[in-house]
Amino acid sequence: CSAQALVMPSRFEGFGLPALEALACGTNVICSDIPSLREVCADAATYFDPHRPEDIAATIESGLVSRRSRQHRLNRAGLFTWSRNVDLMFRAFDAVGLRI
């Protein structure tokens, strides 16, 4: 967890686990502005357009000094726990009348 930043120029991500792992270390995340990474990182990351190399470069240069604190990144990562995920799944099942 000694990296200054994770730069993630993905055009597609199913979930964004590398970004979440970086947040859990308190590392700056500089990533593509795509839905899955927005969902995982919210306001704890700095975003760029993955289709524009000049935007990627400019964001990396400006993003190494994060606008958010290390604690903010750790707090965001803390929202993604197995127990919370299970609780949300059971609530969704209950909402549609599915009993497990």
Side-chain angles (χ1 to χ4, degrees):
C1 292
S2 61
Q4 284 189 341
L6 167 73
V7 178
M8 196 166 174
S10 297
R11 291 185 180 176
F12 174 81
E13 281 295 322
F15 176 72
L17 189 57
L20 180 57
E21 289 174 337
L23 292 176
C25 288
T27 301
N28 285 310
V29 174
I30 304 168
C31 61
S32 297
D33 192 358
I34 58 175
S36 60
L37 293 175
R38 279 271 179 196
E39 184 176 348
V40 170
C41 299
D43 65 347
T46 304
Y47 298 93
F48 55 75
D49 180 345
H51 302 285
R52 296 185 52 228
E54 65 279 2
D55 190 36
I56 296 170
T59 305
I60 290 169
E61 288 177 0
S62 67
L64 288 176
V65 178
S66 177
R67 294 178 215 124
R68 297 294 181 172
S69 69
R70 180 177 189 275
Q71 189 60 51
H72 182 75
R73 293 187 294 272
L74 293 170
N75 291 343
R76 179 65 191 171
L79 297 176
F80 294 87
T81 65
W82 284 110
S83 60
R84 182 171 181 265
N85 190 35
V86 168
D87 182 55
L88 291 171
M89 285 177 35
F90 278 114
R91 283 192 220 174
F93 294 157
D94 285 343
V96 297
L98 183 62
R99 303 285 177 227
I100 295 183

